[in-house]
Amino acid sequence: MLKPIKNLFLVGPKLTTEENNEFQNSRNELNIKRCKTVSYFLLPLNIALILVDIFLYKPLRVYTPAYTYLFYSHVVITLLIILWLLILEIIMPKTKNPKYTVMCHILVTIVIYWGVFMAINDMKISKHILAYIVCVLALSIFIYLSPVEGFMQYFVSLLVLFIGLFLYAKDNKILYNNIVNGIIAILCSYVALKINYSALKRDFLSKKIILRSKMEIERSHLKLEEYEKLRTDFFANISHELRTPLNIIYGSQQMIENILSGKNKNSGNIDNYLNMIKQNSFRLTKLISNLIDMTKIDSTVYEIRPMNCDIIELVESISMSVAGYIESRNISLIFDTEVEEKVISCDPEKIERIMLNLLSNAIKFTDINGSIFVNIY
């Protein structure tokens, strides 16, 4: 049972400094709008009460001066609200840094202490403090004051009310009843204020989370579009890369068939065609291996199997295995190393794949009679 009661008095979820500043700005904007609504409600209400004072309560002023004070209080609160609205609507927009938070606190102070005066004055008329209770309860529900602001406004006004009651109350029973009513009203108002303030903060945080999630979804969507474009481009490129060696293999196979069937008497070209089939088969194998590795990496099953081996011997043997093909392209291959032997931990298969890809690119972008240097440092 203690947990819900404890949660009732919590200020609300914790915010970062940046979020708290944004929340306070949002709260101030909301409060000033609600203060305008309060002023637009109180202005015609007090004008109506002034008319009631003039036409209904005026004869009672002779016997009960409290009705005279009641009339003046309605006139004063009307003038103050009109002045407040004029400052808010005309003067504040023209200033560089309008203090809307200050304006909100001014209206709250006007309303609360109007309620205090009405409550003290009503001790002479109806013996109750209903006006004060209505004011503090309405403000605690309608205006989002922080717990510190609420404490300063409500409990200080309650202290002023008690002083006034002690000065003007003649009946101790009525005095103590109203003191109890005031304390209960303030406690209820303070609890309502904290609940509303916490709810507003939670609502703000929820909106921030939703907005952040929406932005993340949009970013993810943009990334997916980029990935889709990359995927499309990739398959377009890989289709071309696969088609080229396949066409060469298919053409070479047809030429060999023609030679063997006697349609082409130049049998010396068979070795060249077989060599082309071999080279392009190797090229296809390399492309397919790259695709398989990409699939393994995407599915997080790609494994490195390191072992101790001589990296100099490994790279040299890989380079020499394609030396004949490189030289057939009228390109020279030059291998050099600073040391003759160096044992390291590596995956020989992956090193071979890397070297063959590098050499393949080097062949592709090296002009005839050029040189490819394989150096180990």
Side-chain angles (χ1 to χ4, degrees):
M1 291 301 293
L2 292 176
K3 209 167 186 179
I5 295 174
K6 182 181 178 182
N7 290 336
L8 191 66
F9 288 91
L10 288 177
V11 174
K14 291 184 178 180
L15 304 175
T16 63
T17 303
E18 183 180 352
E19 288 176 340
N20 187 64
N21 293 335
E22 190 176 345
F23 166 71
Q24 295 301 335
N25 292 332
S26 174
R27 179 177 72 95
N28 292 334
E29 290 177 5
L30 181 60
N31 275 341
I32 202 66
K33 292 178 182 178
R34 294 197 166 204
C35 283
K36 287 170 67 174
T37 303
V38 170
S39 64
Y40 289 138
F41 171 76
L42 289 177
L43 187 59
L45 174 64
N46 277 278
I47 292 173
L49 291 174
I50 289 172
L51 296 175
V52 171
D53 291 333
I54 293 172
F55 295 105
L56 186 61
Y57 294 149
K58 187 176 181 179
L60 300 176
R61 296 178 193 173
V62 178
Y63 307 102
T64 309
Y67 285 104
T68 302
Y69 301 140
L70 187 65
F71 169 73
Y72 290 144
S73 70
H74 293 149
V75 172
V76 170
I77 192 69
T78 301
L79 293 175
L80 287 174
I81 290 174
I82 292 173
L83 179 62
W84 186 86
L85 284 171
L86 288 174
I87 295 172
L88 182 70
E89 300 291 355
I90 298 175
I91 298 175
M92 294 297 289
K94 295 180 180 179
T95 59
K96 291 184 178 179
N97 297 310
K99 305 294 184 181
Y100 290 115
T101 306
V102 175
M103 292 298 293
C104 178
H105 284 295
I106 289 173
L107 184 70
V108 170
T109 302
I110 290 171
V111 174
I112 287 181
Y113 287 95
W114 174 59
V116 170
F117 177 81
M118 293 278 288
I120 296 172
N121 192 62
D122 282 345
M123 291 299 295
K124 299 289 185 179
I125 301 173
S126 56
K127 311 299 183 184
H128 61 68
I129 58 170
L130 184 60
Y132 176 75
I133 294 172
V134 171
C135 285
V136 293
L137 285 174
L139 288 174
S140 67
I141 294 171
F142 201 67
I143 305 297
Y144 294 106
L145 296 177
S146 70
V148 175
E149 294 168 344
F151 181 85
M152 295 297 295
Q153 289 281 10
Y154 294 157
F155 287 96
V156 173
S157 67
L158 183 64
L159 180 62
V160 175
L161 176 66
F162 285 169
I163 294 172
L165 292 178
F166 277 110
L167 292 175
Y168 290 97
K170 303 299 181 183
D171 189 335
N172 287 335
K173 183 178 180 181
I174 294 174
L175 172 64
Y176 296 138
N177 286 339
N178 284 320
I179 288 174
V180 172
N181 291 336
I183 293 172
I184 293 173
I186 286 297
L187 290 175
C188 292
S189 299
Y190 191 69
V191 171
L193 177 147
K194 295 197 75 170
I195 292 173
N196 286 337
Y197 187 80
S198 299
L200 181 67
K201 188 177 282 190
R202 281 192 294 269
D203 183 59
F204 171 81
L205 193 58
S206 298
K207 289 180 180 178
K208 290 288 290 183
I209 292 171
I210 292 171
L211 181 62
R212 197 179 297 121
S213 300
K214 183 180 178 181
M215 292 175 65
E216 289 177 357
I217 291 171
E218 290 177 354
R219 284 196 294 267
S220 299
H221 180 68
L222 290 175
K223 285 184 179 180
L224 286 174
E225 288 182 347
E226 292 176 3
Y227 291 149
E228 181 63 22
K229 185 178 182 302
L230 288 172
R231 189 182 70 87
T232 303
D233 294 342
F234 169 76
F235 279 109
N237 292 331
I238 202 67
S239 298
H240 174 74
E241 292 288 338
L242 290 171
R243 191 181 295 114
T244 300
L246 279 173
N247 288 336
I248 295 173
I249 291 171
Y250 181 65
S252 300
Q253 182 264 337
Q254 286 184 319
M255 293 300 296
I256 291 173
E257 281 186 352
N258 290 335
I259 292 171
L260 294 177
S261 63
K263 295 180 181 180
N264 190 335
K265 303 302 182 179
N266 190 4
S267 60
N269 289 331
I270 291 180
D271 290 339
N272 290 333
Y273 293 132
L274 288 174
N275 189 42
M276 290 172 64
I277 290 173
K278 179 181 178 181
Q279 290 173 354
N280 284 278
S281 296
F282 170 74
R283 185 178 175 186
L284 275 176
T285 302
K286 186 182 69 171
L287 287 171
I288 293 169
S289 298
N290 285 338
L291 286 172
I292 292 171
D293 282 348
M294 290 175 64
T295 305
K296 287 180 178 180
I297 291 170
D298 288 339
S299 60
T300 67
V301 296
Y302 191 78
E303 291 182 349
I304 301 293
R305 296 183 176 88
M307 58 182 294
N308 292 332
C309 63
D310 185 355
I311 189 67
I312 308 298
E313 181 184 357
L314 177 62
V315 173
E316 184 178 10
S317 63
I318 296 169
S319 301
M320 293 302 106
S321 67
V322 293
Y325 171 71
I326 292 174
E327 290 172 358
S328 69
R329 301 288 297 269
N330 293 323
I331 299 172
S332 61
L333 176 66
I334 301 172
F335 178 83
D336 189 24
T337 176
E338 286 187 338
V339 293
E340 296 300 322
E341 183 181 3
K342 184 66 175 179
V343 177
I344 67 168
S345 177
C346 65
D347 187 333
E349 181 184 348
K350 304 302 185 295
I351 294 293
E352 181 179 6
R353 296 286 309 286
I354 292 168
M355 286 302 304
L356 289 176
N357 279 325
L358 291 172
L359 289 168
S360 175
N361 288 335
I363 294 168
K364 187 183 298 183
F365 297 103
T366 301
D367 297 329
I368 296 174
N369 298 323
S371 299
I372 295 174
F373 296 89
V374 180
N375 301 326
I376 302 179
Y377 299 99

